[in-house]
Amino acid sequence: TSSRQNKSKLSSTINGPKPWPVIGSLHLLGTHETPFQAFTALSKLYGDIFSINLGSSRCVVVNNLDLIREVLITKGSDFGGRPDFLRFHKLFGGDRNNSLALCDWSALQKTRRSIARTYCSPRFTSLQYDTVSQVGIDEMNVFIKELQKLPTEQPCDIKPVVLAACANMFTQYMCSTSFSYDDREFQKAVRFFDEIFWEINQGYAVDFLPWLLPIYKGHMEKISNWAKEIRQFILSRIIDKHRSTLDYNSPPRDFTDALLMHLEEDPNMNWEHIIFELEDFIGGHSAIGNLVMVTLASIVNHPEVGNRIQKEIDTVTRGTRLPNLFDKAAMPYTEATIWETLRKASSPIVPHVASCDTEIDGFTVEKGTLIFINNYELNLGEQYWVDPEEFRPERFLTASGNVVKPAHFIPFSTGKRTCIGQRLVQCFSFLIVTTLLQQYNLATNGVAKTKPGCVAVPPDCFKFILTPRTKDDH
Ligand code: HEM
């Protein structure tokens, strides 16, 4: 790597900008639209691996595929920790180790991931996949009826409907429960989940400068309250009923049953762990709803992409039925559009933390060092892609039209902390995008603007103009 040539490895210290007192180099992250663009700019000065102090936190940023693989795969067990941000504690009942994504690696995490795997990573030929498919078909029938209630030919806020559809697919699949879109408590829970998803996707100075906390007091209380309200909803509207009908002598009906049964069998699991795990996974629906919104924004900003997807939908369904998951294989352009959206949105990989004194590329990395994985560079770097700024789904298609993903494309990360929800993401985002585009032409007033380096859009975001498609459109 260039960093290798630039530095004397004998010194074993990693190059990087000189920190200022108190704030370290925090100010350098504000020089670009996203901190990850700033990391890329700094890597041109200091090499593909560089160190940076943010507040008093020692951080290392890795910027190329080899270094990223070393952190996530080869030395994955040395980098299994997560940052100790106060916000993360606030979101998870005062202890971030309650969260699957924000906890440090532990035996408990291994158990939690393994319970989740069957349900959250259904394989294509499994019974679980058939269930996901059926849940998707049922909800898409409801979704269409809800869309029909929306005004057409004028800007309209479709995010709540998209999120409600995602939430219902999750609660139906994981808890065998779904809700009416008019249910006020459900609407509120979906909104709070979305607020939290937006929140998690923001970076705050207070993460690195905890003494700023008094200024953020009101904000932190708001976050804790969202989490409390969600907990209340899940307990009263999902868990209570589930528990009263649980039959320990039968196989689990769903993920909720599996979790409740596990509680009886595993002395290391307690009630809090179970509830937080369920909340975490139900919360995954917000990520998908937001990804759908970003995908739709890309589509309206590139009308030729929408036309091609509609052509694919019409060919496969012959205009006689709704799309379903088993159509996915025959709709590579649509799938490629979702990959291209994930590439351009370039959602950050949650920072990792060194859990012991270790090395990267021969350089010493002390226990507790925060590691930023610069996937923005992997997703948008000139050395990895032709015309990386262009939105071009075809880049994920072979000459014969099959979907292919290059090895450096890791939107869900890789290694032992890789995203557990990635299969559900692919299934449910495909269903919502295709169902919507089969029924409607979409437009916006102006450009639907999204934030680089972010797969989230604000809870109140851009609106779409829906025009029902007619027979002539098909
Ligand atoms: C737009 C959709 C999504 C994207 C782009 C995404 C991406 C990611 C990324 C980059 C990570 C960090 C991996 C690492 O630190 O190395 C992650 C972790 C995680 N994701 Fe996702 N994700 C998405 C949706 C979901 C959904 C729907 C679920 C749940 C059903 C989910 C569950 C998780 C969990 C539990 C972790 C933490 C794993 C761990 O730390 O051990 N994700 N995701």
Side-chain angles (χ1 to χ4, degrees):
T1 65
S2 59
S3 61
R4 230 188 211 136
Q5 289 139 21
N6 291 346
K7 280 185 280 278
S8 152
K9 284 208 166 170
L10 287 176
S11 71
S12 230
T13 46
I14 306 176
N15 227 343
K18 278 228 155 47
W20 285 7
V22 186
I23 64 165
S25 297
L26 211 49
H27 58 292
L28 296 179
L29 302 193
T31 53
H32 289 74
E33 220 176 337
T34 84
F36 285 87
Q37 287 166 328
F39 288 156
T40 295
L42 288 167
S43 73
K44 307 280 185 264
L45 292 175
Y46 298 104
D48 282 345
I49 174 167
F50 66 87
S51 69
I52 183 166
N53 281 20
L54 300 178
S56 57
S57 307
R58 270 172 298 118
C59 309
V60 165
V61 185
V62 285
N63 296 277
N64 74 34
L65 187 61
D66 286 345
L67 295 168
I68 290 173
R69 279 176 179 279
E70 186 176 343
V71 171
L72 295 177
I73 300 176
T74 331
K75 301 220 176 81
S77 43
D78 291 356
F79 294 104
R82 294 292 196 200
D84 206 27
F85 299 153
L86 278 165
R87 271 190 315 139
F88 291 179
H89 292 296
K90 292 281 171 197
L91 283 167
F92 290 91
D95 182 0
R96 68 177 170 84
N97 281 312
N98 285 325
S99 152
L100 270 104
L102 307 176
C103 66
D104 293 325
W105 186 258
S106 65
L108 170 68
Q109 175 71 348
K110 209 168 155 198
T111 311
R112 292 192 295 198
R113 281 188 68 111
S114 78
I115 310 173
R117 196 167 298 127
T118 328
Y119 294 92
C120 299
S121 302
R123 291 190 180 282
F124 184 59
T125 48
S126 67
L127 257 180
Q128 289 304 332
Y129 196 87
D130 292 347
T131 313
V132 172
S133 168
Q134 194 53 51
V135 164
I137 291 171
D138 292 346
E139 189 59 33
M140 286 303 99
N141 276 300
V142 182
F143 178 57
I144 286 182
K145 295 208 177 76
E146 292 298 324
L147 288 175
Q148 285 163 356
K149 295 181 190 165
L150 296 176
T152 54
E153 315 293 349
Q154 55 172 286
C156 159
D157 187 12
I158 70 166
K159 194 181 189 195
V161 184
V162 167
L163 285 173
C166 285
N168 264 345
M169 288 195 282
F170 268 62
T171 55
Q172 184 60 37
Y173 175 58
M174 293 177 181
C175 327
S176 312
T177 314
S178 59
F179 301 91
S180 156
Y181 287 44
D182 301 327
D183 182 325
R184 298 302 289 269
E185 286 180 0
F186 173 61
Q187 287 172 347
K188 206 162 97 178
V190 170
R191 172 76 188 200
F192 287 157
F193 267 126
D194 192 32
E195 297 271 9
I196 288 180
F197 185 67
W198 175 249
E199 166 70 33
I200 276 189
N201 276 277
Q202 310 306 307
Y204 287 96
V206 68
D207 291 343
F208 298 101
L209 307 173
W211 44 267
L212 286 178
L213 193 62
I215 303 173
Y216 287 85
K217 195 164 172 281
H219 184 69
M220 294 292 179
E221 269 164 23
K222 200 162 70 180
I223 296 179
S224 299
N225 272 336
W226 291 333
K228 261 190 226 138
E229 294 262 0
I230 287 174
R231 158 74 53 106
Q232 199 53 44
F233 177 79
I234 290 182
L235 284 177
S236 68
R237 301 290 302 275
I238 296 177
I239 301 280
D240 286 351
K241 195 156 107 218
H242 228 84
R243 262 182 128 185
S244 63
T245 55
L246 183 62
D247 176 1
Y248 285 94
N249 298 316
S250 305
R253 292 166 293 185
D254 52 26
F255 183 46
T256 310
D257 272 6
L259 281 172
L260 291 170
M261 286 172 166
H262 203 87
L263 178 63
E264 299 301 310
E265 292 157 15
D266 186 342
N268 296 318
M269 289 287 260
N270 65 34
W271 177 244
E272 286 283 293
H273 295 139
I274 300 293
I275 301 302
F276 274 114
E277 179 153 1
L278 193 58
E279 269 172 31
D280 250 7
F281 278 106
I282 294 176
H285 83 269
S286 302
I288 300 182
N290 277 272
L291 171 63
V292 167
M293 294 304 290
V294 179
T295 308
L296 296 176
S298 312
I299 290 170
V300 294
N301 294 338
H302 302 89
E304 71 287 357
V305 173
N307 292 340
R308 256 187 93 170
I309 293 179
Q310 285 177 326
K311 221 175 243 149
E312 220 174 45
I313 298 169
D314 296 343
T315 307
V316 168
T317 64
R318 294 199 208 95
T320 57
R321 60 169 176 82
L322 292 184
N324 66 53
L325 282 187
F326 294 95
D327 295 329
K328 195 145 83 74
M331 297 172 66
Y333 186 83
T334 306
E335 193 183 340
T337 303
I338 294 173
W339 291 125
E340 179 68 342
T341 304
L342 281 166
R343 181 187 74 83
K344 280 222 71 190
S346 193
S347 179
I349 292 175
V350 190
H352 288 233
V353 166
S355 53
C356 55
D357 289 342
T358 178
E359 288 181 352
I360 306 173
D361 197 25
F363 294 105
T364 304
V365 175
E366 279 174 43
K367 180 177 174 178
T369 306
L370 231 126
I371 315 293
F372 284 100
I373 313 289
N374 189 358
N375 60 325
Y376 194 82
E377 185 58 15
L378 293 185
N379 286 326
L380 286 128
E382 297 270 350
Q383 69 275 41
Y384 297 108
W385 308 92
V386 180
D387 300 333
E389 288 303 324
E390 298 289 315
F391 187 84
R392 212 180 269 164
E394 299 83 344
R395 67 174 87 244
F396 286 101
L397 296 179
T398 61
S400 53
N402 294 322
V403 178
V404 62
K405 296 192 294 292
H408 56 263
F409 182 58
I410 50 165
F412 299 108
S413 188
T414 176
K416 64 196 290 177
R417 300 212 66 162
T418 186
C419 177
I420 311 183
Q422 49 190 294
R423 290 219 177 96
L424 290 182
V425 174
Q426 290 167 55
C427 293
F428 290 150
S429 59
F430 171 85
L431 279 180
I432 299 183
V433 169
T434 52
T435 304
L436 229 162
L437 288 186
Q438 182 189 48
Q439 307 291 321
Y440 293 93
N441 290 324
L442 247 57
T444 41
N445 273 345
V447 176
K449 214 171 151 20
T450 54
K451 207 172 145 184
C454 189
V455 79
V457 295
D460 297 306
C461 67
F462 42 78
K463 297 184 165 147
F464 289 115
I465 301 166
L466 299 177
T467 308
R469 291 179 77 209
T470 61
K471 279 228 152 39
D472 297 341
D473 290 327
H474 290 266

